[in-house]
Amino acid sequence: VENILRSGFISLLGTFKKPAIRRYFHWMFLFITIAGSVLKELEVVPQSYFSHRRNIINIYFIKLSWGWTLLLLTPFILLANSLFSRKVSFLARRVLSLVVATAIWYVCTETFVYIENVTGSCYETDTTDAIKKEFTLKVSCRQAGFHWHGYDISGHAFILAYSSLLIMEEIAPMGSLKMVSYSALPRMVLNLLYIALNLILIIWVWMFACTAVYFHDLSHKLVGTVCGLLAWFLTYGVWYLNPLSPGLPPVRQPKEQK
């Protein structure tokens, strides 16, 4: 049984290295967004522990999702990329990808908040029957115990899709490190980080599905998801292909394939 569980776990960790999975991974988020929203409107999915905003994963992981992503990706990028080259300039460029990603995260989330503020109003009850004109910001409205209704682009859909794609791109070097000789301690640390990143990636995808099924309107989730996909594509699919960029994660090919 132990061997079966171990082989199953190893197979799960290898799932995100498969070319077919990597090639169509981004389309999965659009599919989940649309399918989940349809299920939400039809009300065919029963309420569960994950339909409540106060669930443990939402409180301790999703609300801190960018922190978890940076906490695990930063040492992984430094260690994995140092096995290809120890040049400070090379490692600095690769870490710069996280600086770029953080800037994108900040700009997008602040923009979402701004849009919700300028398109919304404060209401005395959740039924939007009595407007409170003295409150012009969501924060002050909610602090007063009232309800704010505006165009609420799903920050969860954005950050979970973007973080997942970011992790998917940056763990790519693991597929070629088996051809690199390095000592036991770095290998153990790198393997632990790789396992943690795979597990957090599974959590992000699962909670993205929960967001699609239980929360927000379709357009709110779709805009958030598309923003995440665009941020990933414009960096890893366009900008990082150019010399004046952080560059793509290195992948070492066997000599016969070079």
Side-chain angles (χ1 to χ4, degrees):
V1 174
E2 183 180 350
N3 290 334
I4 294 175
L5 291 174
R6 184 184 296 111
S7 61
F9 184 64
I10 293 173
S11 177
L12 179 63
L13 292 180
T15 298
F16 299 114
K17 291 194 294 186
K18 295 179 180 178
I21 298 294
R22 294 177 56 81
R23 188 178 302 116
Y24 300 109
F25 189 59
H26 58 288
W27 293 113
M28 177 192 67
F29 292 102
L30 286 175
F31 174 78
I32 292 176
T33 298
I34 296 172
S37 298
V38 171
L39 294 175
K40 179 178 180 293
E41 291 300 318
L42 295 176
E43 298 183 347
V44 296
V45 179
Q47 297 296 299
S48 70
Y49 176 73
F50 294 102
S51 63
H52 302 286
R53 297 181 185 273
R54 298 296 298 174
N55 70 76
I56 292 177
I57 293 182
N58 189 53
I59 294 173
Y60 294 105
F61 283 90
I62 307 306
K63 290 187 179 299
L64 303 172
S65 57
W66 194 247
W68 280 108
T69 299
L70 290 181
L71 179 66
L72 295 173
L73 264 184
T74 303
F76 179 86
I77 288 176
L78 285 172
L79 184 54
N81 286 265
S82 68
L83 298 175
F84 290 89
S85 174
R86 293 184 179 274
K87 291 183 178 180
V88 175
S89 59
F90 171 74
L91 295 177
R93 285 180 62 194
R94 293 300 307 121
V95 173
L96 185 59
S97 64
L98 294 182
V99 177
V100 172
T102 301
I104 291 173
W105 161 77
Y106 180 80
V107 170
C108 287
T109 52
E110 289 298 309
T111 301
F112 297 164
V113 172
Y114 174 77
I115 291 173
E116 188 177 8
N117 272 321
V118 298
T119 60
S121 298
C122 187
Y123 296 90
E124 190 170 339
T125 66
D126 200 35
T127 57
T128 67
D129 53 357
I131 192 170
K132 307 290 289 185
K133 294 183 178 180
E134 61 269 31
F135 298 102
T136 58
L137 295 176
K138 177 182 177 180
V139 173
S140 57
C141 173
R142 289 194 168 181
Q143 286 177 346
F146 300 121
H147 302 266
W148 186 268
H149 291 277
Y151 193 78
D152 183 17
I153 298 174
S154 177
H156 276 45
F158 162 75
I159 195 60
L160 293 175
Y162 184 48
S163 294
S164 297
L165 290 165
L166 181 68
I167 292 172
M168 172 71 78
E169 292 288 351
E170 293 297 341
I171 63 176
M174 282 298 288
S176 57
L177 284 180
K178 60 185 178 181
M179 294 177 285
V180 180
S181 177
Y182 54 105
S183 58
L185 182 58
R187 184 186 300 274
M188 181 185 70
V189 173
L190 195 60
N191 285 339
L192 289 175
L193 287 169
Y194 179 67
I195 291 171
L197 283 165
N198 274 268
L199 292 177
I200 209 75
L201 180 54
I202 292 169
I203 292 175
W204 290 172
V205 173
W206 169 252
M207 293 307 293
F208 183 92
C210 290
T211 298
V213 170
Y214 293 121
F215 304 105
H216 291 283
D217 296 333
L218 171 59
S219 67
H220 299 165
K221 289 176 287 193
L222 194 58
V223 171
T225 302
V226 169
C227 285
L229 298 187
L230 278 175
W232 160 75
F233 175 74
L234 292 176
T235 50
Y236 287 89
V238 180
W239 182 28
Y240 289 2
L241 300 178
N242 298 314
L244 296 178
S245 73
L248 293 172
V251 177
R252 179 170 295 175
Q253 295 179 340
K255 292 181 179 180
E256 63 271 17
Q257 293 181 8
K258 288 186 178 180

